Amino acid sequence: MEQTEKIYDVIVIGAGPGGMTAALYASRSNLKTLLLERGIPGGEMNNTAEVENYPGFKSILGPELAERMYESTMQFGAEHVYGDVKRIVVDGDYRIVEAGKKTYKTRAVIIATGSYHRKLGVPGEEQYNGRGVSYCAVCDGAFFKGKKLAVVGGGDSAVEEGTYLTQFAEDVNIVHRRDTLRAQKIIQDRAFKNEKVSFTWDSFVEEIKGDGQKVTGVVIRNKNTNEIIEKSVDGVFIYVGILPQSDAFLDLGITDEEGWIITNEHMETAVPGIFAIGDVRQKLLRQITTAVGDGGEAGNRAFSYIEDLHDRMAAAEAAAETAD
Ligand code: FAD
Ligand code: NAP
């Protein structure tokens, strides 16, 4: 392991909207701030077509919002380096962040690692992943010009991304396990008005079929009648929810039974000096606005934490000198 010389005040893990905001607040407060990210800054915004619920923009493409956030984040001297964080070790008043062969020493850590897509777990899903099975309409939608698609799920992602896919596909069938959608009303209304979008209610996709090379169809079972139908499609987009990206932090004992990180309203976890924000946190509303709000709070709180730490260290030094 190679340990960097520098001691940071704050290390932010993950450069989605939450992490970027935390880095912005911390660096603007003159804290020595490092942003560690294992991919492209922007997080889930890079996989989102249009964002219409972020104030300041009537509508903006997700990747463009990501770029703008990154530019404003970096203006106050935060460092950004590539790093895939595997562990945080508590060492007295320091926190050691391990990322690949490198370790970084810091006084506070803000975890902003977001979530990942839940798999459907049906036959054909693994085999045809990238060959008709996708979890990202923005990334793969353009491969399906004039084609037929199935979208699985009934939340914001399935319904919004399903509607987005109609600019490429000629037919998008949303297969949902209930007869009402979980998606926000405005997202539902748009889908209902779109002639290329249809719904298969109360139904599960039980298998994804293919010809060995690519997807050719889905097997759908109606949960009320047990009727099974096979539908020809060229692609399947799966949006059945999200899971916390928190494996690297499970040994800290700061997660609930599903792996979401538990914090108080100041984004503090049970371990002093370790904060968590955004989608990885146990909370009800997972949005860009709420990730940004969490980031501001954590950046600010980290500043207070480090001031207290400095005060404590100075008092301890003074006490030691007096004792001498
Ligand atoms: P993320 O955006 O998930 O970012 C986390 C970052 O951490 C990633 O860049 C990841 O690479 C990095 N990371 C993870 N683990 C590690 C590690 N171990 N080491 C280093 N880096 C790591 N919300 C809205 O408000 N409006 C919308 O229109 C909207 N559309 C959406 C569309 C889709 C398809 C999806 C899936 C979500 C959408 N959301 C939308 C929700 C929104 O994108 C999320 O709530 C938001 O991005 C969460 O931000 P975050 O910073 O917590 O995490
Ligand atoms: P979600 O809200 O958890 O919805 C998941 C959907 O998949 C639900 O409809 C669920 O059905 C269904 N589902 C779960 N497991 C299933 C299974 N095994 N088989 C079949 N269906 C299954 O997840 P999401 O839509 O990905 O959204 C994630 C977060 O991002 C949310 O907080 C959301 O608000 C946010 N987001 C926001 C926007 C926006 O603001 N424009 C856009 C996208 C996402 P049930 O309904 O029966 O539970």
Side-chain angles (χ1 to χ4, degrees):
M1 285 264 183
E2 180 195 330
Q3 172 146 352
T4 52
E5 297 289 309
K6 229 176 192 171
I7 298 176
Y8 291 94
D9 291 316
V10 179
I11 291 182
V12 180
I13 308 170
M20 287 199 274
T21 310
L24 168 64
Y25 270 63
S27 56
R28 193 163 177 269
S29 302
N30 266 341
L31 297 179
K32 237 178 266 157
T33 306
L34 175 68
L35 185 56
L36 282 173
E37 166 60 54
R38 68 179 177 195
I40 305 167
E44 281 294 354
M45 292 188 295
N46 290 318
N47 304 325
T48 305
E50 268 179 73
V51 177
E52 294 183 327
N53 52 358
Y54 191 75
F57 304 95
K58 278 188 177 167
S59 168
I60 183 165
L61 294 174
E64 191 188 339
L65 183 57
E67 217 175 296
R68 287 184 184 229
M69 276 194 197
Y70 183 70
E71 273 171 22
S72 63
T73 294
M74 301 313 290
Q75 68 183 310
F76 298 111
E79 283 175 50
H80 162 214
V81 299
Y82 169 84
D84 186 0
V85 173
K86 300 292 186 203
R87 203 155 78 110
I88 302 170
V89 178
V90 175
D91 176 13
D93 284 334
Y94 294 105
R95 310 283 168 262
I96 312 298
V97 177
E98 298 180 358
K101 291 194 174 121
K102 289 206 167 162
T103 62
Y104 300 88
K105 196 169 185 175
T106 181
R107 295 182 171 88
V109 181
I110 300 174
I111 301 169
T113 47
S115 60
Y116 64 97
H117 304 287
R118 191 201 300 270
K119 296 263 161 72
L120 196 52
V122 298
E125 183 178 14
E126 282 293 324
Q127 186 184 355
Y128 293 107
N129 188 3
R131 292 189 286 160
V133 172
S134 172
Y135 303 84
C136 177
V138 177
C139 322
D140 300 328
F143 296 124
F144 296 94
K145 285 206 178 93
K147 305 278 188 193
K148 288 189 173 146
L149 296 175
V151 172
V152 191
D156 286 340
S157 296
V159 183
E160 190 166 56
E161 301 305 305
T163 309
Y164 165 80
L165 284 166
T166 59
Q167 47 182 306
F168 311 106
E170 66 165 40
D171 181 274
V172 174
N173 185 243
I174 299 179
V175 183
H176 182 38
R177 64 183 178 182
R178 292 188 291 128
D179 64 356
T180 48
L181 297 170
R182 178 180 294 277
Q184 297 163 55
K185 176 90 172 49
I186 185 168
I187 294 176
Q188 294 193 24
D189 288 348
R190 271 191 207 139
F192 290 140
K193 274 192 209 135
N194 189 315
E195 284 175 357
K196 290 183 178 175
V197 177
S198 58
F199 289 86
T200 303
W201 301 108
D202 290 323
S203 297
F204 287 94
V205 165
E206 290 204 322
E207 187 179 349
I208 297 168
K209 294 266 196 185
D211 59 8
Q213 295 303 314
K214 57 181 179 4
V215 167
T216 55
V218 281
V219 177
I220 301 172
R221 181 176 60 83
N222 182 295
K223 73 174 183 191
N224 300 327
T225 62
N226 265 330
E227 186 196 359
I228 291 183
I229 56 162
E230 196 170 326
K231 222 174 171 16
S232 293
V233 292
D234 306 286
V236 186
F237 283 76
I238 298 170
Y239 289 107
V240 292
I242 55 175
L243 295 167
Q245 206 114 239
S246 61
D247 282 4
F249 319 113
L250 295 181
D251 63 351
L252 291 168
I254 56 175
T255 46
D256 67 13
E257 63 286 351
E258 288 177 339
W260 304 104
I261 301 180
I262 301 166
T263 71
N264 63 15
E265 63 177 310
H266 301 303
M267 311 304 139
E268 293 160 328
T269 69
V271 179
I274 299 185
F275 302 80
I277 59 173
D279 277 12
V280 74
R281 193 163 82 79
Q282 186 193 64
K283 64 177 185 177
L284 285 179
L285 187 61
R286 294 192 171 88
Q287 300 269 289
I288 300 168
T289 49
T290 59
V292 161
D294 288 0
E297 176 67 26
N300 190 47
R301 209 68 190 181
F303 177 78
S304 308
Y305 171 81
I306 287 160
E307 289 234 298
D308 289 350
L309 202 63
H310 285 316
D311 288 350
R312 258 198 300 125
M313 285 160 91
E317 269 172 35
E321 271 171 28
T322 317
D324 289 344

